[in-house]
Amino acid sequence: MAALEFVVLLGCALLASGALAQRLKVSTPVLQLAAGVLLGFVPALRETELPPEVLLLVFLPVLLYWESVTTSVRAIRRDLRGIVLTGTLLVAVTAWAVAALAHALGVPWGAAWVLGAAVAPTDATAVGVVSRLLPRRNVTLLRAESLINDGTALVVYSLAVGVTVGSEHLSVAHVSGLVTLSYGGGIAAGAAIAWLGIRLRRLVRGLGETMLDNLTIILIPFSAYLLAEQVEASGVLAVVVCGLIMSQAGPSLGRAEARRQTMAFWSLAMYLLNGALFVLVGLEAQAAVRGLSGTALSEALLMVAALSCALVVVRFLFLFAAVYTIRALDRRPQQRERRMGHRARVVSALAGFRGAVSLALALSVPYTLDSGGPFPDRDTIVFVTAGVVVTTLVVQALVLPRVARWARLPRDTDADRELALARTAASEAALDALPTVAAGLGTDPEVTERLRTEYETHLNTLRAATTADAPDAGVLVRHHEQDTALRLALLEHKRSAVIGLRDARRIDDAVLQQVQAQLDVEEVRLAPAADPE
């Protein structure tokens, strides 16, 4: 099939699955997988084979970079020990448990370890399924864990694939060296690219070219991944480390216009890449089913059920065993302050979703060995991985809300409090600087006074929103809400008037686009802020 036809079909599948998900209130990735399965019935697509390296080199850098850029470094620092344990030791234990179970069900050891490495890591992008059910700390822990555990899973995966195809050998020294190189080289490569990226973005900012700034941002994750791969280190870890560093330096580097373009680009890119990955896995899973006999298919379905249960059980046991071990070894007061209740831990045990990374690893399994023979049980690996992901997104996503309600987790008010603090501090800083800045710019007193009144009204509204029992607090908040609603409603009349001028051929299309862009900026400023999760 021609590449253009394939792209159009892929886009139509994403569009249809997204629309149906909104209508049926079903998880979008599940419908995307189903769309991929349906596309597998198209005769021209049956022979489609994806180069394994494409998935790791194209999908993972972008997906992981954006997740790391939008993850809280402060929260990671606070719970670093737990995140490292779940991101390394839990992955190794899970891969071993899955490999042992898969081998007991008839899969050769090499393929069993590849399957274990593929389904061991939780997925950062899949955490969005539960982000609104859990407090911010729990969600951040899950996201941070999933960023780190990808590197561990890739080490296990590389070893398993290398040994199976015949290009690697197992020994304590070799494995230790591989792990050291993977983590040390990955961290160093990520830090080096972040350092270069910061300086390059400062240089580009001085040129005032928004497009060049965004091009630099796009190049950063791929450069980090490429540099790490060149020294045979973990490209995943390099991207994560680079993203975390850039998350701290980025806010002071770019211009407002560049940030708006960046947010729009990455939001669309993340949706397209995640969706395309799920559709492609559905397509590959359908092909894998054709490669399985009736008995093999029944065994694969049994394996999906068994491994899905094993993943939850292993995660549950590890989380409780790790916390009791830490409490026995560390009795410092600050350790007690970081403790999480048992109910919250049960929720976290059920929130270990598998997603895009597992799918990318499964599809990256080579088709042949060094000897030229077929890779053992590749169809089984792809089918079972897709099945585990579907089970995660369907069964666990249905059970988790009920468990979250049972856990009665406290409402997280820290985000609202910190948001109010940031907005208040910004308004206070502007008011304090207003006289000096106005004098330096030679602003007329009437303009300065009008702006001062506007800022004071805004600041009083912010303070009233956080002290609802204060006199006239409700009136101020109500007036602010009414003012915002009125301004948004009037924007539609502005927009209609300008379009009418274009339709009457009194202004050019370019003028319409320029005015509309200004109206859009005002609408975005007035609209309620979206949930960051």
Side-chain angles (χ1 to χ4, degrees):
M1 173 172 282
L4 181 58
E5 295 172 348
F6 179 76
V7 170
V8 171
L9 283 176
L10 182 61
C12 291
L14 293 179
L15 181 61
S17 57
L20 283 175
Q22 294 295 324
R23 178 66 62 87
L24 302 176
K25 306 300 180 184
V26 178
S27 178
T28 303
V30 174
L31 293 181
Q32 290 167 344
L33 279 168
V37 172
L38 292 176
L39 287 178
F41 289 103
V42 178
L45 290 178
R46 292 195 171 192
E47 304 302 323
T48 301
E49 289 187 358
L50 298 171
E53 63 275 6
V54 169
L55 293 161
L56 288 177
L57 297 179
V58 174
F59 284 82
L60 284 188
V62 177
L63 294 174
L64 294 175
Y65 181 74
W66 185 243
E67 288 298 328
S68 58
V69 166
T70 55
T71 297
S72 169
V73 174
R74 184 187 68 175
I76 293 176
R77 191 182 298 116
R78 180 184 59 192
D79 295 300
L80 182 60
R81 179 169 53 190
I83 292 171
V84 170
L85 284 175
T86 54
T88 55
L89 185 57
L90 176 57
V91 175
V93 171
T94 302
W96 169 81
V98 169
L101 182 56
H103 181 68
L105 293 174
V107 179
W109 271 116
W113 272 103
V114 172
L115 178 59
V119 300
T122 56
D123 187 64
T125 56
V127 173
V129 177
V130 297
S131 62
R132 299 185 184 277
L133 300 175
L134 305 178
R136 183 175 61 169
R137 181 187 178 191
N138 299 73
V139 175
T140 302
L141 286 172
L142 290 170
R143 294 180 68 185
E145 171 198 346
S146 61
L147 289 173
I148 294 177
N149 63 24
D150 295 333
T152 307
L154 272 173
V155 172
V156 180
Y157 173 85
S158 300
L159 274 173
V161 171
V163 170
T164 304
V165 301
S167 61
E168 294 279 1
H169 65 279
L170 285 177
S171 68
V172 175
H174 178 67
V175 172
S176 300
L178 187 62
V179 171
T180 302
L181 176 61
S182 177
Y183 278 86
I187 293 173
I193 294 299
W195 183 83
L196 290 173
I198 291 171
R199 277 144 186 81
L200 184 58
R201 288 195 63 192
R202 285 175 178 167
L203 176 62
V204 171
R205 181 183 180 180
L207 299 176
E209 288 291 338
T210 300
M211 293 298 179
L212 292 179
D213 190 17
N214 279 291
L215 177 58
T216 304
I217 295 172
I218 295 172
L219 286 174
I220 286 174
F222 293 105
S223 300
Y225 196 96
L226 176 62
L227 178 60
E229 289 294 312
Q230 291 298 313
V231 297
E232 298 184 354
S234 172
V236 167
L237 195 58
V239 172
V240 170
V241 169
C242 182
L244 292 175
I245 295 175
M246 293 303 297
S247 71
Q248 302 302 294
S252 61
L253 295 177
R255 297 174 179 271
E257 185 179 358
R259 283 192 292 271
R260 289 179 60 242
Q261 289 183 0
T262 300
M263 290 295 296
F265 168 80
W266 284 98
S267 297
L268 178 61
M270 291 291 289
Y271 183 84
L272 290 178
L273 288 178
N274 269 301
L277 192 54
F278 281 106
V279 172
L280 292 174
V281 167
L283 185 63
E284 287 279 328
Q286 208 257 25
V289 170
R290 294 196 303 269
L292 298 173
S293 63
T295 303
L297 181 59
S298 301
E299 293 174 350
L301 289 172
L302 174 63
M303 199 178 303
V304 168
L307 294 186
S308 299
C309 294
L311 290 173
V312 175
V313 171
V314 170
R315 183 175 179 85
F316 185 91
L317 294 176
F318 182 90
L319 290 179
F320 277 87
V323 70
Y324 283 117
T325 302
I326 291 175
R327 289 182 181 181
L329 298 176
D330 189 352
R331 298 182 176 274
R332 294 176 299 167
Q334 52 266 48
Q335 167 58 29
R336 294 190 180 95
E337 295 174 359
R338 289 197 294 264
R339 287 181 180 177
M340 188 181 298
H342 293 318
R343 289 175 179 256
R345 197 164 291 108
V346 171
V347 174
S348 295
L350 284 174
F353 288 81
R354 270 66 185 178
V357 174
S358 294
L359 301 176
L361 290 178
L363 292 181
S364 299
V365 176
Y367 290 95
T368 59
L369 305 174
D370 284 351
S371 61
F375 194 96
D377 288 323
R378 185 185 188 277
D379 289 339
T380 300
I381 293 172
V382 174
F383 179 83
V384 171
T385 302
V388 168
V389 172
V390 172
T391 303
T392 293
L393 295 173
V394 176
V395 178
Q396 288 181 231
L398 290 176
V399 173
L400 192 62
R402 296 176 174 83
V403 176
R405 287 194 293 270
W406 163 81
R408 296 193 300 272
L409 299 176
R411 182 177 179 273
D412 189 357
T413 59
D414 289 345
D416 295 336
R417 178 180 54 80
E418 293 176 4
L419 181 60
L421 173 62
R423 288 173 172 170
T424 302
S427 296
E428 289 175 343
L431 271 174
D432 292 341
L434 181 58
T436 304
V437 174
L441 295 174
T443 307
D444 290 340
E446 295 81 5
V447 177
T448 304
E449 188 59 31
R450 185 169 66 244
L451 189 58
R452 176 189 297 279
T453 302
E454 182 179 336
Y455 269 90
E456 287 177 344
T457 301
H458 180 62
L459 184 58
N460 290 334
T461 303
L462 291 174
R463 289 169 176 168
T466 57
T467 56
D469 56 344
D472 299 329
V475 175
L476 284 172
V477 174
R478 185 174 70 253
H479 285 177
H480 172 70
E481 293 173 349
Q482 292 175 352
D483 177 78
T484 300
L486 181 60
R487 288 173 184 267
L488 285 171
L490 291 176
L491 283 177
E492 290 301 318
H493 290 273
K494 289 184 176 181
R495 194 173 282 113
S496 298
V498 178
I499 294 175
L501 289 174
R502 190 279 311 271
D503 293 342
R505 299 183 181 180
R506 297 178 61 186
I507 62 172
D508 189 69
D509 288 307
V511 176
L512 167 64
Q513 294 168 6
Q514 184 176 356
V515 175
Q516 192 169 45
Q518 296 171 348
L519 295 177
D520 289 343
V521 170
E522 187 175 358
E523 182 175 346
V524 170
R525 180 181 65 84
L526 292 171
D531 186 345
E533 297 294 347

